[in-house]
Amino acid sequence: MTQFDFMGKRKAAYIISILLTVIALGALAVKGLSLGLDFTGGTQVEVSYAKAPSLDEVRNELGEAGFGNYSVQTFGADTDVLVRLQQTFDEGIGDQVISALRAEGEQVNLVRAEYVGAQVGDQLRDQSGLGMLIALGVVALYVAFRFQYKFALGALISLGHDVIILLGFFALFGFDFDLTVLAAVLAVIGYSLNDTIIVYDRIRENIRRSQSNDLVKIFNDAVNQTLSRTLSTSGTTLLVLLALFFLGGDMIHNFSLALIVGVVLGTFSSIYVAAAMLLLVKLEREDLIPAKRENAADDELP
Amino acid sequence: MLNRYPLWKYLLILLVFIVGVLYALPNLYPKDPAIQISAANSGASVGDSEMARVDQTLEQAGIAVKSSESANGTSLIRLENGSQQSAARDMVSKALGQGYTVALNLADSTPQWLQAIGAKPMNLGLDLRGGVHFLLEVDMDAALDQRLDVNASAMREALRGDGIRYRNNTTGDNAIRFTFANADDRSQARALLNRQYNEFSFANEDDAGPTLVMTLTDQAVTDIQDYAINQNLTTLRNRVNELGVSEPIVQRQGPNRIVVELPGVQDTAEAKRIVGATANLEFRLEASDSTSADQQQAFDFRNDAGRKAALERDVIITGDRVSSASTSFDDSGRPQVNINLDGPGGSRMNRATRANIGRNMAVLYIEHKTRTRTVTRDGEQVEERVPYTERGIISLATIQSALGNQFRITGLDSPTEARELSLLLRSGSLAAPIYFAQERTIGPSLGQQNIDRGVMSVIVGLVLVLAFMIVRYKGFGLIANLALTVNLTLLIAAMSILGATLTLPGIAGIVLTLGMAVDANVLVFERIREEMRSRSIQQAIHTGYERAFTAILDANITTLLVAVILFSIGTGPVKGFAVTLSLGILTSVFTGVMVSRALTNLVVGGKSLKKLWI
């Protein structure tokens, strides 16, 4: 079996991870997430033109119809236009926008209209942040219960690493962060944890089976033994995600993007961050073999 | 022997698979676009003559009908072409007139034998079907205030009945306050009211004269709020049914919110007006000379600007006591609403009118509305909702004789207003005002597009994974692929059985499950490859499955935990994603461990092999 010296190169991995985390935190602090309608509240109307319109003209028409504080952008195809309005909702906003846009006799159809109250948005934002923290906390507890608290710590740092960099990625490029992307982030937590646990499970097994105290070698072996599995699973998952990204349509574009980035991050972090963290938190053989003395006594019996 | 399952295990797995196929099957039959006709009055049904008229109308318009059927007083007409659906609805609605409700529908085309075992296709979410989604928030403060007002009115009556005089009466802050001339009156009043109103806690205050303060207990507040939201749910269900939408959803969400989903509805304005309307009626006597000033309230006439009348503060009955209402026209062609009261309402009306023949009685039209305005608070722009109530007299007429539980009211603006008022009276009023916290409209074209794209990505994703597994694991790849196919079947069957709603993120969840489901097999196969270096083939297979199991279990339980959390915080489409993800994890553990093991055992178990095609 090919053996890569993953642990030997962990310094390089640390640097990459820290760098990415710093960039992500910077992007989050400076640019912030561009939160979608779900979280900010407001109104958005998506319309579809028969012929691609000029956006300036669309803006003019909205201005003339008395809408204030709107933004207009194309959405997917250049015949699809997304209009965002700050104002509160009133009856049939979709129809109002449509009739304003039809002023010059264009052929326009309503694709969807959404309104989210500011309060609902705020509440959802708080709830989502809380949900993400609870998710991290619960899985950390589970890992602590099934493995050991040092493993939980390692898993938590590795998951936090993935989430922060993923959020930073969305902040840096200004992609819309809406409820579906949040769902993707949580799915990434699940996925990355899945990967991490596979590696940890192997580490635990190898520690119990070997007599060696050379943890670096044990970790290296474990990562190498699970490597082809990690790559296979990431491979199949990425394959379907790419299918979703290219074929799934605009509404889940950012959702699949978040998952693709997240799966790549999760794979990297389960190989490097999660295992390397166990070295940092000073995992020892004794942490996993509390009943050693007892077993040893059994063994010595003739 | 190694790697052999007892026969019953194979049979059990086969049974699960067959059941899965049966219950997943209905999803392969596309739903027919249809229109559904029902009589507006329950009890009446759609007769043969109406159906003949409908058939004729559709034939003239050149709309092809696939089939039509009648059951339980409703008729369902399946159309060949979905694009003609709304045209057909409008035409049929016009041909049949007011007595019938005509709704768009998507009719199951599941064959009889599948229906017989309860198999049905998955429900499609709004993002796949098109329609309107409302999130309504119930104004709980207003619900409490309304209840206080009703109680205060009854208390005033009780005090007057016992001849206890009070000076002033106010409500607010969950409390009713009465001020009396002296402490004696107060203790009498307290003794009287204490007996009847046990949802209040009583206290005396003496700051501004002897005052009796009755505060709602916490239990009463909770009860009132529960009542308000449940009453609103009932009312909204009635109204949505009157709108004639097929498969609507009216559901409570959280402590004070209600979700309303109307698939297929595109006219948001009408739906909003009916769903959110808070119109109600009040019947009050006109104030007479003997009515004291604080028992009077002056109101404008709705249709007669400048005219006013002073009415008594006490309400005889409200529109809540109406058991049925319909519209018609009076002799001079003006719209009128015919009202039937329920038992208690009728007797109260009878008592009040019998004692007051010759006096005038007013009908008040009440609408609860909210005004949204933006205010600056702490340097931030905040939206503030100011609820207000519009009351206007629609008729003031002399009581000629004692009224029973049937009468009619006039003075409405237009036939439309009369029709909407009667609809609202029929469906009941909202126990507390509601306002729209969220609204989404999804056009039908977007829905179809989403389905097409979703199905496409599932197919492409599946093919890619299947190919990958064959290339990487050869013969065992084939086993994994069979297991994956079983997995997809079981997942769809589970969603159909549970009546889960399929949304676009839900489809994404299926696709993601496909990608991740092979993980269990990948783990096992890698382990087998590894063990083959040190063990015989049969032992390697056995150990491979054994050793990989804990990893599979731990990894999937944690993912399941995350999915459950996602379910609890998510709304709408995201909940759909969480449901598919959770079900997908369960089915993939079953197929990845049990099904693939069974297949492996069946193919290679117990045989002496020199080489494993892995």
Side-chain angles (χ1 to χ4, degrees), chain B residues 25-26 28-29 108-117 119:
Chain B
L25 214 49
L28 290 181
Y29 295 91
D108 280 359
S109 56
T110 311
Q112 274 298 317
W113 62 278
L114 279 176
Q115 282 182 23
I117 57 167

Side-chain angles (χ1 to χ4, degrees), chain A residues 142-179:
Chain A
Y142 182 80
V143 174
F145 166 70
R146 285 286 293 173
F147 291 81
Q148 202 257 346
Y149 80 92
K150 285 180 183 169
F151 283 88
L153 213 58
L156 206 55
I157 292 172
S158 137
L159 291 178
H161 162 270
D162 297 348
V163 170
I164 290 171
I165 295 177
L166 182 53
L167 293 180
F169 175 81
F170 267 76
L172 190 65
F173 292 97
F175 294 129
D176 248 13
F177 191 93
D178 59 17
L179 203 54

Side-chain angles (χ1 to χ4, degrees), chain A residues 170-205:
Chain A
F170 267 76
L172 190 65
F173 292 97
F175 294 129
D176 248 13
F177 191 93
D178 59 17
L179 203 54
T180 60
V181 179
L182 175 83
V185 173
L186 283 165
V188 165
I189 293 181
Y191 180 87
S192 167
L193 186 74
N194 188 326
D195 257 9
T196 303
I197 283 189
I198 301 296
V199 175
Y200 279 3
D201 182 73
R202 204 51 181 261
I203 288 177
R204 175 173 62 181
E205 189 185 322

Side-chain angles (χ1 to χ4, degrees), chain A residues 12 54 92 127 157 198 205 237 241 272 284 296:
Chain A
S54 111
Q127 218 178 355
I157 292 172
I198 301 296
E205 189 185 322
T237 310
L241 286 176
Y272 271 108
E284 285 162 26

Side-chain angles (χ1 to χ4, degrees), chain A residues 1 37-38 46 80 86-93 95 110-120 123-124 127-128 130-132 134-136 138-139 142-143 146-147 179-180 182-184 186-187 189-191 193-195 197-198 201-202 204-205 209 225-226 228-233 235-237 239-244 247-252 255 259 263, chain B residues 127 135 137 257 266-269 272-273 372 383 385 435-446 449-450 453-454 456-458 460-462 464-465 468-469 472-473 504-505 507-509 511-512 514-516 518-520 522-523 526-527 529-531 533 535 547-548 550-559 561-562 565-566 568-571 573-574 577 581:
Chain A
M1 185 195 270
L37 183 77
D38 295 324
E46 191 189 327
D80 287 354
Q86 285 279 303
Q87 74 187 70
T88 45
F89 197 84
D90 35 40
E91 239 147 78
I93 189 97
D95 299 335
L110 178 72
V111 179
R112 63 190 163 112
E114 295 182 37
Y115 157 73
V116 176
Q119 240 186 347
V120 179
Q123 216 173 331
L124 196 62
Q127 218 178 355
S128 307
L130 193 67
M132 213 142 41
I134 292 177
L136 289 175
V138 168
V139 295
Y142 182 80
V143 174
R146 285 286 293 173
F147 291 81
L179 203 54
T180 60
L182 175 83
L186 283 165
I189 293 181
Y191 180 87
L193 186 74
N194 188 326
D195 257 9
I197 283 189
I198 301 296
D201 182 73
R202 204 51 181 261
R204 175 173 62 181
E205 189 185 322
R209 277 204 294 181
Q225 281 159 350
T226 52
S228 62
R229 172 267 155 195
T230 307
L231 294 182
S232 285
T233 303
T236 53
T237 310
L239 279 179
V240 295
L241 286 176
L242 287 173
L244 208 56
L247 303 171
D250 304 321
M251 275 177 80
I252 47 174
F255 170 83
L259 276 167
V263 166
Chain B
D127 52 350
L135 181 66
E137 199 153 309
R257 295 207 175 120
Q266 294 300 326
D267 183 358
T268 348
K272 269 192 93 160
R273 214 170 49 240
T372 319
E383 271 173 28
R385 263 187 218 89
Y435 46 87
F436 290 82
Q438 206 177 52
E439 172 176 340
R440 287 169 205 270
T441 314
I442 293 138
S445 59
L446 182 64
Q449 204 179 11
N450 282 340
R453 285 170 172 169
M456 192 63 183
S457 28
V458 170
V460 172
L462 184 64
L464 286 175
V465 174
F468 181 93
M469 290 303 281
R472 183 129 174 79
Y473 298 106
L504 188 61
I507 294 182
V511 176
L512 189 65
L514 289 181
M516 289 169 65
V518 290
D519 183 49
V522 168
L523 271 167
E526 290 294 336
R527 197 66 196 232
R529 278 183 176 179
E530 225 182 292
E531 300 292 334
R533 266 176 254 131
R535 294 168 205 268
R547 290 256 165 92
T550 55
I552 295 174
L553 203 64
D554 278 334
N556 282 292
I557 287 180
T558 42
T559 317
L561 285 176
V562 176
I565 292 168
L566 187 58
S568 63
I569 59 166
T571 56
V574 172
F577 172 72
L581 201 60

